[in-house]
Amino acid sequence: DAGVIQSPRHEVTEMGQEVTLRCKPISGHNSLFWYRQTMMRGLELLIYFNNNVPIDDSGMPEDRFSAKMPNASFSTLKIQPSEPRDSAVYFCASSRSLGVYGYTFGSGTRLTVV
Amino acid sequence: GDSVTQMEGPVTLSEEAFLTINCTYTATGYPSLFWYVQYPGEGLQLLLKATKADDKGSNKGFEATYRKETTSFHLEKGSVQVSDSAVYFCALRREGSNYQLIWGAGTKLIIKP
């Protein structure tokens, strides 16, 4: 199993540009989570999907952020327009059985907005 | 509300020392408890878990016991190695919750040769 795959690993973009982060969960996992990690705020849950349906997006900071999961093997997190305060490491995680056994995280995307 | 409190880091130890990283929680009912580890430049990895009181989770020489009476889940290892240097996160999953993990702030561990 290749694990949770995220791309790109690093992204540097200019303020105002659109950024798209991608995630491929583990096959057979039916829950997918997007997290943001910063030194100041630690780990923050942005949005959660179950069976490709967004269940809770209350952690999405503002309308500039959107996430989709068109099928069981792919999800995107989009920021438009990006701002310097969006700079962080964004993690995707997936799980089965509603997370009872824990989550599997991807290696993350380090986003820098200049 | 539910919360997880970890000891502040960094924790600096010499190789082969005994490790304890404290974790206490506040939650109603019987949450599941987890320790995750994050190595530099990587995502979080599940280290061990316990789903009911008095359960002991163990993996890679690390252990933690779910203590309901003290609402604690301290991480221990008898002899640490330089390769154990990482950030360790304690987390709880609410009883009956279908997704939400409540995270501690993380404890950075530095092991010196």
Side-chain angles (χ1 to χ4, degrees):
Chain A
D1 194 332
V4 176
I5 300 173
Q6 290 188 247
S7 64
R9 285 299 308 270
H10 302 274
E11 177 79 37
V12 180
T13 191
E14 292 186 347
M15 183 174 62
Q17 296 298 305
E18 177 179 297
V19 175
T20 299
L21 311 181
R22 297 173 176 79
C23 175
K24 177 178 170 56
I26 290 175
S27 178
H29 283 192
N30 62 346
S31 298
L32 184 139
F33 310 81
W34 281 101
Y35 278 89
R36 179 170 67 178
Q37 185 179 40
T38 61
M39 289 294 292
M40 291 296 294
R41 296 185 297 272
L43 273 169
E44 301 173 279
L45 176 64
L46 301 178
I47 187 170
Y48 154 68
F49 293 87
N50 193 46
N51 294 324
N52 312 337
V53 176
I55 303 299
D56 184 353
D57 65 354
S58 60
M60 297 285 260
E62 48 198 277
D63 292 345
R64 298 184 297 108
F65 286 69
S66 62
K68 294 182 180 179
M69 193 166 186
N71 56 62
S73 59
F74 184 65
S75 177
T76 59
L77 178 67
K78 185 178 294 186
I79 308 172
Q80 166 64 21
S82 58
E83 296 183 3
R85 58 194 170 113
D86 302 330
S87 298
V89 181
Y90 291 81
F91 289 105
C92 175
S94 69
S95 73
R96 59 183 174 89
S97 302
L98 303 177
V100 170
Y101 305 107
Y103 302 170
T104 301
F105 280 78
S107 298
T109 295
R110 181 173 293 277
L111 174 65
T112 303
V113 183
V114 298
Chain B
D2 296 353
S3 65
V4 175
T5 302
Q6 292 183 232
M7 64 189 296
E8 286 192 24
V11 174
T12 303
L13 296 172
S14 297
E15 206 166 20
E16 299 184 3
F18 185 87
L19 168 70
T20 300
I21 298 179
N22 290 338
C23 171
T24 57
Y25 68 90
T26 301
T28 55
Y30 294 87
S32 297
L33 301 173
F34 303 85
W35 276 102
Y36 283 79
V37 58
Q38 185 177 28
Y39 298 103
E42 297 184 13
L44 283 74
Q45 302 175 26
L46 178 62
L47 182 60
L48 53 84
K49 65 181 184 293
T51 57
K52 60 182 187 294
D54 300 324
D55 266 2
K56 177 185 284 188
S58 61
N59 186 24
K60 300 180 180 179
F62 291 89
E63 294 183 339
T65 301
Y66 187 161
R67 301 288 189 197
K68 180 68 174 174
E69 63 277 13
T70 55
T71 62
S72 65
F73 193 54
H74 304 322
L75 183 67
E76 297 181 334
K77 186 175 184 182
S79 177
V80 293
Q81 306 299 313
V82 172
S83 58
D84 293 327
S85 298
V87 180
Y88 292 81
F89 292 88
C90 185
L92 72 82
R93 179 176 177 273
R94 296 178 178 130
E95 184 181 23
S97 167
N98 63 356
Y99 67 95
Q100 184 81 303
L101 283 185
I102 308 300
W103 296 91
T107 302
K108 185 173 184 177
L109 175 65
I110 300 170
I111 307 300
K112 296 186 174 181

